[in-house]
mmCIF file of all heavy atoms in Angstrom:
data_model
loop_
_atom_site.group_PDB
_atom_site.id
_atom_site.type_symbol
_atom_site.label_atom_id
_atom_site.label_comp_id
_atom_site.label_asym_id
_atom_site.label_seq_id
_atom_site.Cartn_x
_atom_site.Cartn_y
_atom_site.Cartn_z
ATOM 1 N N LYS A 2 -24.998 -5.464 36.692
ATOM 2 C CA LYS A 2 -24.011 -4.415 36.964
ATOM 3 C C LYS A 2 -22.596 -4.976 36.948
ATOM 4 O O LYS A 2 -21.674 -4.337 36.468
ATOM 5 C CB LYS A 2 -24.287 -3.746 38.308
ATOM 6 C CG LYS A 2 -25.410 -2.762 38.288
ATOM 7 C CD LYS A 2 -25.525 -2.071 39.631
ATOM 8 C CE LYS A 2 -26.639 -1.045 39.624
ATOM 9 N NZ LYS A 2 -26.740 -0.376 40.918
ATOM 10 N N ARG A 3 -22.439 -6.194 37.477
ATOM 11 C CA ARG A 3 -21.115 -6.817 37.509
ATOM 12 C C ARG A 3 -20.596 -7.078 36.097
ATOM 13 O O ARG A 3 -19.431 -6.875 35.801
ATOM 14 C CB ARG A 3 -21.153 -8.116 38.296
ATOM 15 C CG ARG A 3 -21.267 -7.903 39.771
ATOM 16 C CD ARG A 3 -21.208 -9.215 40.490
ATOM 17 N NE ARG A 3 -21.392 -8.987 41.916
ATOM 18 C CZ ARG A 3 -21.450 -9.935 42.798
ATOM 19 N NH1 ARG A 3 -21.357 -11.206 42.410
ATOM 20 N NH2 ARG A 3 -21.614 -9.653 44.069
ATOM 21 N N ILE A 4 -21.476 -7.544 35.238
ATOM 22 C CA ILE A 4 -21.075 -7.801 33.851
ATOM 23 C C ILE A 4 -20.671 -6.504 33.169
ATOM 24 O O ILE A 4 -19.646 -6.433 32.491
ATOM 25 C CB ILE A 4 -22.210 -8.512 33.081
ATOM 26 C CG1 ILE A 4 -22.418 -9.913 33.639
ATOM 27 C CG2 ILE A 4 -21.893 -8.572 31.588
ATOM 28 C CD1 ILE A 4 -23.621 -10.639 33.081
ATOM 29 N N LEU A 5 -21.453 -5.458 33.366
ATOM 30 C CA LEU A 5 -21.134 -4.158 32.781
ATOM 31 C C LEU A 5 -19.800 -3.644 33.302
ATOM 32 O O LEU A 5 -18.969 -3.161 32.541
ATOM 33 C CB LEU A 5 -22.251 -3.151 33.068
ATOM 34 C CG LEU A 5 -22.063 -1.755 32.497
ATOM 35 C CD1 LEU A 5 -21.959 -1.824 30.976
ATOM 36 C CD2 LEU A 5 -23.211 -0.855 32.902
ATOM 37 N N MET A 6 -19.571 -3.760 34.598
ATOM 38 C CA MET A 6 -18.299 -3.311 35.174
ATOM 39 C C MET A 6 -17.132 -4.140 34.639
ATOM 40 O O MET A 6 -16.060 -3.604 34.379
ATOM 41 C CB MET A 6 -18.351 -3.396 36.711
ATOM 42 C CG MET A 6 -19.286 -2.364 37.342
ATOM 43 S SD MET A 6 -18.904 -0.667 36.835
ATOM 44 C CE MET A 6 -17.324 -0.439 37.588
ATOM 45 N N LEU A 7 -17.351 -5.438 34.460
ATOM 46 C CA LEU A 7 -16.311 -6.289 33.911
ATOM 47 C C LEU A 7 -15.959 -5.880 32.484
ATOM 48 O O LEU A 7 -14.793 -5.767 32.118
ATOM 49 C CB LEU A 7 -16.750 -7.762 33.941
ATOM 50 C CG LEU A 7 -15.765 -8.769 33.350
ATOM 51 C CD1 LEU A 7 -14.469 -8.772 34.146
ATOM 52 C CD2 LEU A 7 -16.383 -10.146 33.316
ATOM 53 N N VAL A 8 -16.964 -5.629 31.665
ATOM 54 C CA VAL A 8 -16.742 -5.199 30.288
ATOM 55 C C VAL A 8 -15.995 -3.870 30.260
ATOM 56 O O VAL A 8 -15.023 -3.704 29.511
ATOM 57 C CB VAL A 8 -18.071 -5.114 29.511
ATOM 58 C CG1 VAL A 8 -17.879 -4.422 28.174
ATOM 59 C CG2 VAL A 8 -18.664 -6.496 29.320
ATOM 60 N N ILE A 9 -16.410 -2.922 31.069
ATOM 61 C CA ILE A 9 -15.736 -1.617 31.124
ATOM 62 C C ILE A 9 -14.296 -1.792 31.574
ATOM 63 O O ILE A 9 -13.373 -1.203 31.003
ATOM 64 C CB ILE A 9 -16.504 -0.644 32.039
ATOM 65 C CG1 ILE A 9 -17.839 -0.267 31.397
ATOM 66 C CG2 ILE A 9 -15.677 0.593 32.363
ATOM 67 C CD1 ILE A 9 -18.779 0.500 32.298
ATOM 68 N N SER A 10 -14.069 -2.618 32.578
ATOM 69 C CA SER A 10 -12.708 -2.851 33.074
ATOM 70 C C SER A 10 -11.824 -3.473 32.007
ATOM 71 O O SER A 10 -10.685 -3.073 31.819
ATOM 72 C CB SER A 10 -12.742 -3.767 34.302
ATOM 73 O OG SER A 10 -13.426 -3.147 35.346
ATOM 74 N N LEU A 11 -12.355 -4.480 31.308
ATOM 75 C CA LEU A 11 -11.571 -5.130 30.251
ATOM 76 C C LEU A 11 -11.237 -4.173 29.125
ATOM 77 O O LEU A 11 -10.126 -4.193 28.597
ATOM 78 C CB LEU A 11 -12.311 -6.349 29.716
ATOM 79 C CG LEU A 11 -12.391 -7.543 30.666
ATOM 80 C CD1 LEU A 11 -13.271 -8.631 30.077
ATOM 81 C CD2 LEU A 11 -11.013 -8.072 30.986
ATOM 82 N N CYS A 12 -12.191 -3.334 28.746
ATOM 83 C CA CYS A 12 -11.930 -2.346 27.687
ATOM 84 C C CYS A 12 -10.858 -1.368 28.126
ATOM 85 O O CYS A 12 -9.960 -1.021 27.371
ATOM 86 C CB CYS A 12 -13.208 -1.591 27.331
ATOM 87 S SG CYS A 12 -14.386 -2.605 26.427
ATOM 88 N N THR A 13 -10.929 -0.926 29.370
ATOM 89 C CA THR A 13 -9.941 0.014 29.890
ATOM 90 C C THR A 13 -8.567 -0.631 29.935
ATOM 91 O O THR A 13 -7.578 -0.051 29.497
ATOM 92 C CB THR A 13 -10.343 0.500 31.298
ATOM 93 O OG1 THR A 13 -11.627 1.096 31.218
ATOM 94 C CG2 THR A 13 -9.337 1.485 31.853
#
Side-chain angles (χ1 to χ4, degrees):
K2 282 185 179 180
R3 287 184 183 177
I4 293 173
L5 181 60
M6 290 305 293
L7 178 63
V8 169
I9 291 170
S10 296
L11 289 174
C12 288
T13 302

